[in-house]
Amino acid sequence: AKETLQKMQALAPPDTVVVEGACCSLCGNGPVVLAPNAEKTTTSKHRKVRGDKIMKLLLESEECDIPEELISSYDTTMQGNKAFLDGEYETAISLYENAINAGYQVAMDLQADREKEGTDILSDEGIPVGFLWLVEARRNEASAKLSMGDLEGALAAVEASCDISGNKSADSLEMLADICQKNKDNEGELRALTLFLELPVPEVAPSMVANKRRTLGFRKTKLEREIQG
């Protein structure tokens, strides 16, 4: 269900809103998508929505057109994610770079259209949900390059992840701080930690999150002292 939701949100046309729903009591039939009819007076349930069914639902409107470059870029990124999780870092990097080169600008243009239509939706972190796949892809690309010993490439990729998220992705900012530390860039690390610690704290945060923020807060204080001399 998570994969279906992410893909529909990433590819949704400007006139389409895709939101996470509640349980439909259709166990064994998921992912389930509730879609309104043309008049928006009733909804229909679509069971086992995966693959081609996702595109069929998104393309129901005759005026709807999802750029092929975006579809291909998204699918290639998912292949990159699989290679990354399998530890095939060189393959993952190639897939991520090809996908982002092909679909990045299309994704930016689509998000701009969503904002004009007022159909953009934000994640809990405040990131447009249509961008989450890009934020994760660039962060994974950075991690893969780090594993391959490419610090410069890792830095460029994680900076891109932070930029796409509007500096609202805690995971991307934490990785940026880590890579800056490896590069012995105290000022860059301090900027990343400052942005990380300025992010809102979830109302219900596990103790691990609180401990991490405390540890990074100590690191930030230490850096400030070192830089000030």
Side-chain angles (χ1 to χ4, degrees):
K2 179 182 177 182
E3 289 79 7
T4 294
L5 176 65
Q6 183 185 54
K7 184 168 186 176
M8 294 189 75
Q9 289 179 330
L11 304 181
D15 63 349
T16 303
V17 177
V18 180
V19 295
E20 184 175 2
C23 176
C24 297
S25 299
L26 292 171
C27 296
N29 289 278
V32 177
V33 175
L34 300 181
N37 63 5
E39 293 76 25
K40 295 182 172 59
T41 55
T42 60
T43 59
S44 56
K45 292 180 181 179
H46 301 265
R47 297 168 172 80
K48 298 183 178 179
V49 179
R50 301 183 181 89
D52 292 341
K53 280 191 174 183
I54 294 176
M55 301 311 302
K56 183 178 179 181
L57 279 174
L58 290 175
L59 294 169
E60 279 190 342
S61 169
E62 294 182 359
E63 299 179 357
C64 171
D65 181 33
I66 302 174
E68 284 296 330
E69 303 97 315
L70 182 61
I71 299 171
S72 176
S73 177
Y74 183 88
D75 289 342
T76 302
T77 296
M78 295 304 106
Q79 295 172 26
N81 287 346
K82 183 179 184 306
F84 174 75
L85 291 174
D86 289 342
E88 300 173 0
Y89 298 129
E90 191 170 352
T91 298
I93 290 167
S94 177
L95 288 167
Y96 286 139
E97 289 178 342
N98 290 338
I100 291 163
N101 287 338
Y104 174 80
Q105 191 55 55
V106 180
M108 295 297 111
D109 294 342
L110 178 56
Q111 179 59 27
D113 290 340
R114 290 183 186 126
E115 291 174 0
K116 289 178 184 176
E117 291 285 337
T119 56
D120 57 313
I121 302 172
L122 301 181
S123 69
D124 291 341
E125 288 185 301
I127 304 168
V129 293
F131 280 170
L132 293 177
W133 65 286
L134 282 171
V135 173
E136 180 184 22
R138 300 296 331 235
R139 185 171 62 246
N140 287 350
E141 178 192 345
S143 182
K145 288 181 174 178
L146 197 59
S147 296
M148 298 288 290
D150 181 6
L151 277 175
E152 184 177 347
L155 178 61
V158 78
E159 285 179 336
S161 178
C162 291
D163 288 343
I164 295 169
S165 76
N167 288 324
K168 293 179 180 179
S169 169
D171 289 339
S172 296
L173 288 170
E174 184 180 359
M175 180 176 287
L176 175 58
D178 180 58
I179 293 174
C180 286
Q181 183 178 18
K182 286 180 169 60
N183 274 329
K184 302 188 186 305
D185 177 6
N186 286 353
E187 293 186 355
E189 183 185 359
L190 178 59
R191 285 193 297 272
L193 290 176
T194 299
L195 289 168
F196 176 92
L197 293 167
E198 286 176 350
L199 294 175
V201 182
E203 290 185 7
V204 182
S207 58
M208 181 175 63
V209 173
N211 292 337
K212 179 184 293 184
R213 290 182 65 88
R214 187 179 304 110
T215 299
L216 293 179
F218 290 148
R219 175 64 182 168
K220 175 177 176 286
T221 300
K222 180 180 179 182
L223 285 169
E224 288 172 335
R225 290 172 179 167
E226 290 178 357
I227 291 173
Q228 291 171 1

